[in-house]
Amino acid sequence: IGSAHAGRVDEALDDLVGSFVNTVVLRADLSGDPSFAQVLARVREAALAGAAHQDVPFERLVEEIAPVRSMARHPLFQVILTKQDTIDAVLDLLGVEATGVSTGGSTTVSTVKFDVDVLVSETFDEEGRPAGLRGAVTVAADLFDESFAGRVASGWTRVLEAVTADPQVSLGAVDLLDEEERRQVVVDFNDSADPAPAESVVALFEGWVLRTPDAVAVVVDGVETTFAQVDARANRLARFLVAQGVGPESVVALALPRGVDTVVAILAVWKAGAGYLPVDASQPVERVAFVLRDSRAVLLLTDEDTADELPAGKIRIVAVDAEATRAGLAVFEQSAPAVTHHPDDLAYVIYTSGSSGQPKGVAVTQAAVANYVASVPDRLGFPSSGGRFALLQAQVTDLGNTVLFASLARGGQLHILPEGAVTDPLAVAAYLVEHRIEHLKVVPSHLMALGAAGQLSDLVPAGGVVLGGEAAPVEWVRDLVAAAGGRPVFNHYGPTETTIGVLTGRLDGGGVVSVGTPIRNVRVFVLDDRLRPVPVGVAGELYVAGAALARGYVGQPGLTGQRFVGCPFGDGERMYRTGDRVRHLADGRLVFLGRVDDQVKIRGYRVEPGEIQSVLTGCPAVEQIAVVARPDRHGELRLVAYLVTDDDPDTAVEQVRRYAAKRLPEHLLPTAVVVIDALPLTSNGKLDRRALPEPETPTTAGTGR
């Protein structure tokens, strides 16, 4: 570029840059005979000088704002669509020849600026008439593969074909899947059909009683109880229950301490043909009373120490360790009562958090439990017979049922660790080694806490560890897999409504934490809000169908109908709407992405802040209140209550704490109560969660682990 054409260069820059909105045109002194590099240098000098005229360079803006930057994504956006639909411009510079150069279609490796870059341009025939669109999809190779780019291109093409064929069609009505893709996500990924198991857990347990009567079944505080001893105690208790009028479809509540008595009671209830209801006696009396009343339990089994803490009511309370009860049990035979069992009989009822302000009882059948035991132990590497299992969880939830039911059904040895030991990393590690434990299931946050205070590798048994109850961070899983060495680490997913768990798989410590693939006789679907399958890699809501489904919610047909809906891919069957957002990987595994509602998992407990909020609204000191789950400075979710009150703030906070402690279990208690002038709202009148302030003091877990 010579000096004779400097003015033309300046004019061309003016025209070029001025065509963009909100762009400052920079003028440089181009007198003399500058080279092209010098032109660029002078343009840059002009840009820097523009700061004096309040034209702040973008780099300076980034430096001042100092946003949190991640190398995993572009700071502004991840997907860009460029449509070239303008007339080709002609850069007419005297003495300079300009030729367009294509940047697309290259087969060489290049660096991409965005995760997904879609470029399309209009084409014309020889006579200048429109001849369609051509384009390219470029993706970041460290995030996606070539097949993903192909799916983006083909899916978008189908959308364009649909809307041009029928311009009146709604975009939401356009199906993104072709027949092959639909078959993959609906049929191929759900190839889990298998004959229904013929035997219940009780029948499998009784088979081991006949084969290995003297083998140790349960170990508690160093005391060993054999299969024959457990069976004899369960048979006598079952006959006692039948004599009290307990039978099929009856509900027997169990408020027993963790240990062999609870195992015996579960087997006894099943032998009597009934279903059991685990009750946590440490929960507020009002909640326990509601659960007993709502479940229509006909009898409550407990011990003498706990009996006085339970609410008095119409239900009969029996202390199994009382002298009178022991004498009464002694008169019954040690053989099982003659009760007819059916696969559709009730197995248990477990209450979970409810958004209406009251917990809801999930009714699970014997057939669902049998299907679980017939499938999951093999998927988790449990032996077909024997094995040593450690139970850390309280038996009032279904989380520990994985090892409890598997141990009973496969002739294993179940070690129930004392409540005081399960939070001590040294005690847990020592127990695993001393008793040669092979299999362990644990909530990720529990294992994180244990590993933070000790060696993580010491907490992984020889047969592996099973994670369940909540999502696990990718980085921590990577550390866990590395610490485990060759010992397997499994992930196990499933709401209570789907009988303990329906997805499972081994973790490899890679970039994603998968929840696995379906167990036998279970199908899962990732659907949009119109109940249509979404493509692989696209987020949708998870629905579960098949043998794992519970009956529904006790005494709540309306809520059951909302969550257990008709399956559009079956023959009149139901599917459960989990409320969880997931996406399929290319190999069929699923990745958990979060909730579609406000429900969260805290320390393995399912928590719906709406339930807590509904309860706290009844406190006299509350004018308004909002309960949200937010991460603390360690990244762990904590419940925070935001309170609007007319009372003295300190007094109101104390009233709310006392009110909550009397009505909510410990895992539902807010760890911080923040007084604010008013609840912030969005433009549509909903709570603006992002505007809620962080607690001024660090949230603590109180007396919990």
Side-chain angles (χ1 to χ4, degrees), residues 148 151 176 526 534-541 581-584 593:
F148 173 82
R151 289 197 301 272
L176 294 177
V526 185
V534 299
V536 171
V538 175
E541 186 172 356
R581 292 177 62 251
V582 298
R583 65 179 175 90
H584 268 121
L593 302 175

Side-chain angles (χ1 to χ4, degrees), residues 354-358 609-619 625 627 659:
S355 57
S356 62
Q358 295 285 7
E611 176 189 359
I612 306 168
Q613 189 169 301
S614 178
V615 172
L616 297 184
T617 302
C619 178
I625 197 164
V627 178
Y659 188 89

Side-chain angles (χ1 to χ4, degrees), residues 490-507:
F490 297 95
N491 208 2
H492 193 32
Y493 162 91
T496 300
E497 290 86 346
T498 61
T499 313
I500 311 171
V502 289
L503 297 170
T504 192
R506 183 170 178 173
L507 298 174

Side-chain angles (χ1 to χ4, degrees), residues 245-252 269-270 272-276 295-299 339-349 363-366 551 554:
V246 172
E249 297 306 306
S250 297
V251 176
V252 178
V269 171
W270 284 351
Y276 72 90
S295 66
R296 297 178 175 83
V298 297
L299 195 70
V339 176
T340 302
H341 299 276
H342 191 274
D344 291 332
D345 286 345
L346 181 68
Y348 59 79
V349 176
V364 176
T365 65
Q366 288 286 357
R551 288 180 179 174
V554 175

Side-chain angles (χ1 to χ4, degrees), residues 448 456 472-482 509-513:
M448 286 182 208
L456 193 57
V474 174
E475 294 79 5
W476 178 79
V477 169
R478 186 180 294 114
D479 294 340
L480 175 61
V481 172
V512 294
V513 178

Side-chain angles (χ1 to χ4, degrees), residues 368-399:
V369 174
N371 185 77
Y372 180 86
V373 172
S375 173
V376 173
D378 291 334
R379 295 281 300 274
L380 299 178
F382 294 176
S384 58
S385 62
R388 293 169 176 261
F389 304 84
L391 179 62
L392 303 183
Q393 296 79 23
Q395 288 148 297
V396 295
T397 68
D398 62 347
L399 187 68

Side-chain angles (χ1 to χ4, degrees), residues 97-109:
E97 181 179 340
T99 303
V101 178
S102 173
T103 59
S106 174
T107 58
T108 59
V109 177

Side-chain angles (χ1 to χ4, degrees), residues 243-458:
Q244 307 304 311
V246 172
E249 297 306 306
S250 297
V251 176
V252 178
L254 308 180
L256 293 163
R258 55 196 297 151
V260 67
D261 286 345
T262 300
V263 177
V264 168
I266 291 173
L267 290 170
V269 171
W270 284 351
K271 286 171 179 280
Y276 72 90
L277 167 71
V279 174
D280 186 356
S282 65
Q283 292 186 351
V285 174
E286 292 182 6
R287 186 180 177 95
V288 173
F290 170 82
V291 167
L292 294 175
R293 182 175 62 253
D294 186 69
S295 66
R296 297 178 175 83
V298 297
L299 195 70
L300 173 59
L301 299 180
T302 185
D303 59 6
E304 289 187 310
D305 292 338
T306 310
D308 294 337
E309 302 175 6
L310 297 170
K314 297 181 180 180
I315 187 172
R316 182 183 176 189
I317 299 178
V318 177
V320 295
D321 58 345
E323 289 297 332
T325 305
R326 290 179 177 176
L329 290 172
V331 303
F332 291 104
E333 298 180 10
Q334 294 186 14
S335 59
V339 176
T340 302
H341 299 276
H342 191 274
D344 291 332
D345 286 345
L346 181 68
Y348 59 79
V349 176
I350 286 186
Y351 276 76
T352 66
S353 184
S355 57
S356 62
Q358 295 285 7
K360 52 184 182 288
V362 180
V364 176
T365 65
Q366 288 286 357
V369 174
N371 185 77
Y372 180 86
V373 172
S375 173
V376 173
D378 291 334
R379 295 281 300 274
L380 299 178
F382 294 176
S384 58
S385 62
R388 293 169 176 261
F389 304 84
L391 179 62
L392 303 183
Q393 296 79 23
Q395 288 148 297
V396 295
T397 68
D398 62 347
L399 187 68
N401 286 350
T402 301
V403 295
L404 171 60
F405 294 165
S407 179
L408 294 175
R410 299 202 166 196
Q413 190 176 110
L414 181 67
H415 291 251
I416 304 176
L417 275 67
E419 184 176 0
V422 297
T423 56
D424 184 345
L426 297 179
V428 172
Y431 195 99
L432 298 180
V433 173
E434 180 182 354
H435 295 274
R436 304 190 307 281
I437 298 299
E438 297 169 297
H439 305 281
L440 173 72
K441 185 180 181 183
V442 64
V443 177
S445 59
H446 186 182
L447 191 56
M448 286 182 208
L450 294 175
Q455 288 292 331
L456 193 57
S457 60
D458 295 338

